[in-house]
Amino acid sequence: MTILSGWSSILTAVCLTTLVTLLLQASRRKVPKCASFPPGPTRLPLLGSVHLLPQQFQERTLAEWGTKYGGIVYAKLFRTPAIVINSYKIAHDLMEKRSGNYSDRPRFILIPELLGWKNSIVHLRYGEQFRMHRKWMQDAFRSKEALDSYRSIQRREVSVFLANLLSTPEAFMTHFTQFSASIIMEIVYGHRVLNDKDKFIGIAERAGESTVTAGSPATMLVDFFPIMKLIPEWCPGGGFKTKAAVAHKYVSELYEVPYRMVREKMKSGTARPSFTSNLLERRDRVGKLTLEDEENIKAAAATVYSAGTETTATAMMTFILAMVRHPSIYSKLQDEVDRVVGLERLPDFEDRAALPYTECVIKELYRWHVPVPLGIPHNTLKSDIYGGYHIPENAMVIANIWAMSQDEDIYPNPTDFNPERYMDNAEEDPKNIVFGFGRRQCPGNELADRSIFILVTSIAATMNITKVKDTSRAEITPSLDFTSGFVSRPEAFSCEITARSDKAVRLIRQMKVATE
């Protein structure tokens, strides 16, 4: 999440002056005499603390606030009170132990209303509809029985991935995306992806790219001033609506096209079991499918598909970068996989318990560069007291996941990629941080974790990863440059990925043939 981009456009929004009176009235909040707000940065009339936030890598500025003011910080984003949490302990105390009060979302306008992500669990306010979606997700992605049933899909797709990597190693990012999308597409819609030209992958990519271009939750003025959604596109300050209209078209396509495919196959009797078909069959058993039912099922399926692809692919791109920069760690990882798995087969899920160093590498991968630095804001349902400080009702609660992952008190020398830090289990498991908190924790975290495990071990078993060389044969170490935004991934970099041996090549080809 980027809290606000282009905030200076407030000065050019013609209609903004009409909001000043309402803003001042809404900002007058009573604070109990027994408690004060947490400390925080200076606040200006109208702007609050927005003027102090850069447009890029805002998680770093929020972490600096934590260093200066403490683990819990109070700020104002225009008229919205904001609680910034930079401490894992405080996040756990509030968002886990008091999750009933911290599981709401702020009212977002841009993403659900203008871009078309309606009824998405990611943005739903806390209530009955949210609980229904959450139960659907838990049934499909939290039970051991369900997760184990997806293993055959993951095994097949890792074989496809390795064959693709063998053929075009320079396109490793594309192959990671296809791997993730293929698994989620089959689970959610029962459709098997055969290559990266699959039309459903294209639909998801267009929806995702246009959404990111249009903005992220709490990034645009319209999320703070809902009346701005009425501004015409041609009006100064209304340009965001042009991008929103483009995104809305692609998001609608994502909602409708794969859903219609499932419905048509169900009518013809050719539908394969899937998340979508299971929900439709379950609803048919209790009564007639209503328009509201359809809208909820479409939204749940589209959300799982879009969210389940990007973060896994991003984490794996970070893995490749880390291994290029730390060849000794990759060599140690390969040695452990060879010792446990051998050279006659690919790693499997049952091997995980016997691979402690591999487990540490995956934990460090999650921590070293978190894919979603600021998550998505929560919202308080009622006022609260914590550590003697007053937390107001309807406050935006921002968990700075990046700051927690870089906490030197928990992870000494946090910029180092050091799997050994977990060998004695002395430090906090980053999986408790990177997937969110409380009832808003990512419901697909276990599936994503299993996919990352099978990818990491299969790559280690079959591939070497080395630095490219320049014209003078000197090795080029890729830089530690990452994109800023809701999802942060490494900037494009080069490396050499080659098969470890002829035996590895034969094994990959044999496994690929066996899955066809």
Side-chain angles (χ1 to χ4, degrees):
M1 184 201 84
T2 303
I3 295 172
L4 197 71
S5 62
W7 65 265
S8 60
S9 62
I10 188 174
L11 301 177
T12 63
V14 172
C15 67
L16 189 56
T17 55
T18 64
L19 302 174
V20 173
T21 300
L22 293 175
L23 185 154
L24 291 174
Q25 292 175 349
S27 64
R28 297 192 185 105
R29 299 174 182 270
K30 295 181 179 180
V31 180
K33 295 181 179 179
C34 61
S36 59
F37 292 128
T42 57
R43 301 184 289 277
L44 297 178
L46 304 183
L47 293 180
S49 305
V50 165
H51 64 295
L52 300 175
L53 289 173
Q55 293 191 24
Q56 301 290 316
F57 301 105
Q58 293 178 353
E59 63 273 12
R60 301 176 187 178
T61 298
L62 298 184
E64 292 172 1
W65 289 1
T67 300
K68 183 174 183 179
Y69 302 109
I72 183 168
V73 177
Y74 178 76
K76 289 288 286 290
L77 304 179
F78 297 113
R79 62 180 176 178
T80 302
I83 300 295
V84 181
I85 301 175
N86 290 293
S87 157
Y88 168 72
K89 181 183 183 305
I90 295 174
H92 181 77
D93 287 348
L94 296 181
M95 305 167 86
E96 296 279 354
K97 293 182 178 180
R98 306 181 191 180
S99 62
N101 189 40
Y102 290 85
S103 294
D104 194 22
R105 289 283 195 226
R107 183 196 173 190
F108 296 127
I109 303 298
L110 179 71
I111 302 293
E113 296 187 25
L114 298 183
L115 270 61
W117 289 97
K118 56 186 177 182
N119 298 323
S120 170
I121 188 174
V122 176
H123 309 109
L124 283 177
R125 303 299 299 268
Y126 188 71
E128 192 59 37
Q129 188 183 21
F130 168 78
R131 286 188 285 269
M132 178 180 68
H133 280 243
R134 185 167 176 256
K135 186 179 187 308
W136 290 349
M137 304 292 186
Q138 289 178 327
D139 290 344
F141 299 106
R142 285 295 177 92
S143 75
K144 185 178 184 302
E145 180 182 4
L147 289 168
D148 288 349
S149 72
Y150 305 143
R151 287 184 172 187
S152 60
I153 301 174
Q154 291 171 300
R155 292 186 185 104
R156 185 192 69 218
E157 292 305 325
V158 83
S159 297
V160 173
F161 166 82
L162 291 173
N164 289 339
L165 195 61
L166 193 63
S167 175
T168 52
E170 69 281 359
F172 59 89
M173 189 59 204
T174 298
H175 302 327
F176 285 136
T177 300
Q178 181 181 332
F179 170 85
S180 302
S182 298
I183 291 172
I184 299 297
M185 187 71 204
E186 189 158 349
I187 292 172
V188 174
Y189 296 109
H191 170 74
R192 181 173 177 181
V193 173
L194 298 179
N195 54 63
D196 63 354
K197 305 301 182 184
D198 185 277
K199 72 173 184 178
F200 294 108
I201 291 182
I203 289 171
E205 287 181 343
R206 288 192 293 273
E209 290 172 2
S210 61
T211 296
V212 170
T213 300
S216 300
T219 69
M220 305 295 287
L221 288 172
V222 69
D223 280 332
F224 295 93
F225 304 103
I227 197 172
M228 289 188 69
K229 68 181 180 179
L230 303 178
I231 296 177
E233 293 181 21
W234 50 264
C235 180
F240 69 94
K241 295 189 72 175
T242 303
K243 293 181 179 179
V246 173
H248 193 283
K249 173 186 174 182
Y250 292 134
V251 172
S252 296
E253 189 180 24
L254 176 61
Y255 271 51
E256 296 294 335
V257 175
Y259 176 81
R260 286 201 305 266
M261 178 265 295
V262 175
R263 292 292 285 166
E264 290 167 2
K265 288 187 175 182
M266 290 178 70
K267 289 179 181 178
S268 66
T270 60
R272 302 171 64 184
S274 68
F275 175 78
T276 303
S277 65
N278 290 342
L279 290 178
L280 287 168
E281 289 171 354
R282 188 185 308 173
R283 189 66 191 86
D284 286 341
R285 287 194 295 267
V286 298
K288 184 178 179 180
L289 184 73
T290 66
L291 179 60
E292 183 180 4
D293 294 330
E294 283 200 297
E295 293 303 315
N296 278 306
I297 293 172
K298 288 176 189 177
T303 299
V304 173
Y305 181 41
S306 60
T309 300
E310 176 72 12
T311 51
T312 298
T314 296
M316 288 308 303
M317 190 175 181
T318 302
F319 169 75
I320 299 296
L321 176 62
M323 295 304 98
V324 174
R325 291 179 57 91
H326 300 89
S328 62
I329 292 175
Y330 190 58
S331 179
K332 190 172 180 179
L333 172 64
Q334 288 181 311
D335 289 344
E336 182 180 71
V337 171
D338 290 348
R339 186 170 61 254
V340 173
V341 176
L343 304 177
E344 305 301 324
R345 65 177 178 87
L346 291 178
D348 208 345
F349 298 98
E350 290 82 1
D351 298 315
R352 189 163 189 171
L355 296 168
Y357 186 75
T358 301
E359 194 70 32
C360 292
V361 169
I362 293 173
K363 288 180 180 179
E364 187 68 341
L365 171 63
Y366 290 147
R367 185 208 64 81
W368 190 56
H369 184 74
V370 296
V372 186
L374 291 173
I376 299 176
H378 292 219
N379 194 69
T380 55
L381 289 170
K382 59 183 181 181
S383 62
D384 196 8
I385 300 291
Y386 181 81
Y389 293 124
H390 172 68
I391 298 174
E393 178 183 358
N394 285 324
M396 181 183 292
V397 181
I398 302 164
N400 190 347
I401 296 172
W402 180 83
M404 299 175 204
S405 74
Q406 302 297 307
D407 188 337
E408 293 186 1
D409 292 335
I410 302 176
Y411 309 107
N413 302 312
T415 58
D416 294 346
F417 190 93
N418 178 22
E420 278 81 3
R421 69 172 78 242
Y422 308 101
M423 291 298 288
D424 59 1
N425 296 315
E427 286 153 331
E428 186 65 46
D429 187 344
K431 285 192 286 188
N432 295 330
I433 298 172
V434 297
F435 292 110
F437 299 94
R439 301 173 197 181
R440 291 288 180 172
Q441 186 182 66
C442 172
N445 62 337
E446 289 296 333
L447 179 67
D449 180 62
R450 291 183 177 205
S451 290
I452 288 170
F453 166 79
I454 203 68
L455 276 173
V456 165
T457 53
S458 296
I459 293 170
T462 59
M463 300 289 175
N464 286 324
I465 304 173
T466 55
K467 299 174 184 178
V468 297
K469 296 179 180 179
D470 62 19
T471 54
S472 64
R473 306 299 295 168
E475 291 184 333
I476 300 174
T477 300
S479 60
L480 282 177
D481 294 326
F482 298 89
T483 63
S484 176
F486 174 60
V487 176
S488 177
R489 62 169 51 181
E491 297 280 8
F493 64 93
S494 298
C495 65
E496 294 282 349
I497 302 178
T498 56
R500 292 180 64 182
S501 65
D502 291 340
K503 178 177 285 189
V505 173
R506 289 194 297 271
L507 179 60
I508 291 170
R509 290 174 177 167
Q510 289 168 2
M511 296 300 296
K512 176 66 165 55
V513 170
T515 60
E516 293 177 343

